Amino acid sequence: MSFTPTPNGTRGAAQPGALTRRVNALAMRRIVRRGGGRVMGMEALVLTTVGRRSGRTRKTPVARFEEKGGTWLIVASANGAARNPDWYYNLAAHPDQVAVTLDGRTMEVTAEQLRGEEREKVWRVITAVQPRFAGYTEKTDRELPVIRLTPRSVRLGEGPDA
């Protein structure tokens, strides 16, 4: 997959810090343990990427938006920060090494960044379901990347019962 990262902005909210990382770690464990869940009132999944510099596995809870056909949309919002979140750059660096944990299963996925008219169409749906995402665009001047995740396979032996 060709994945050209969206540039950072010049203004925005503070980049999530250490406290957010702790909350994310707790949320991630809860999502995996319960086989799914909500974080800050949004349906979430655990996104697994490979660090672009470290090469280490990284896991992050991310809000998800389900589409017909079994795909999900995620947004690299970072709460409206000027800089894209680290997981987004990991995804861009290693697009062939991405997985999600959801409903007690870990699945390899293909990640595709949406652009142009297709992005705008799903963006309207995302902001209708979760208006806070529209608020993020008021905080920053960068375009918030929207990524479609399409399942490739299910990994056996992973999830809360493994």
Side-chain angles (χ1 to χ4, degrees):
M1 171 187 102
S2 173
F3 203 108
T4 305
T6 299
N8 288 321
T10 59
R11 65 176 176 77
Q15 190 75 21
L19 178 60
T20 301
R21 285 191 294 275
R22 287 189 191 122
V23 170
N24 281 349
L26 291 171
M28 184 177 57
R29 284 194 291 274
R30 189 179 83 216
I31 292 167
V32 171
R33 187 174 57 249
R34 291 185 183 169
R38 297 176 71 81
V39 175
M40 295 179 58
M42 297 179 283
E43 293 296 323
L45 55 77
V46 176
L47 181 70
T48 303
T49 60
V50 174
R52 69 184 186 279
R53 289 180 282 199
S54 69
R56 294 166 58 188
T57 300
R58 303 291 185 193
K59 296 184 180 213
T60 308
V62 180
R64 76 175 195 263
F65 302 89
E66 291 191 42
E67 289 188 294
K68 292 178 182 175
T71 61
W72 304 279
L73 299 171
I74 59 174
V75 180
S77 65
N79 297 319
R83 188 174 172 279
N84 293 308
D86 289 338
W87 65 257
Y88 173 73
Y89 293 108
N90 295 344
L91 192 70
H94 302 285
D96 57 331
Q97 299 176 46
V98 183
V100 299
T101 301
L102 179 67
D103 298 331
R105 300 180 303 156
T106 298
M107 297 165 270
E108 294 178 347
V109 294
T110 300
E112 170 193 11
Q113 183 166 340
L114 304 182
R115 299 199 185 267
E117 190 176 311
E118 186 174 21
R119 182 204 177 273
E120 292 307 313
K121 181 180 174 185
V122 300
W123 183 250
R124 287 189 294 273
V125 173
I126 289 168
T127 56
V129 173
Q130 282 295 337
R132 76 176 69 184
F133 282 88
Y136 297 155
T137 62
E138 295 172 9
K139 295 179 182 179
T140 186
D141 58 348
R142 71 180 168 92
E143 181 177 272
L144 302 182
V146 178
I147 312 297
R148 177 176 287 135
L149 303 173
T150 304
R152 288 188 285 162
S153 65
V154 175
R155 292 188 200 166
L156 302 176
E158 293 193 20
D161 298 324

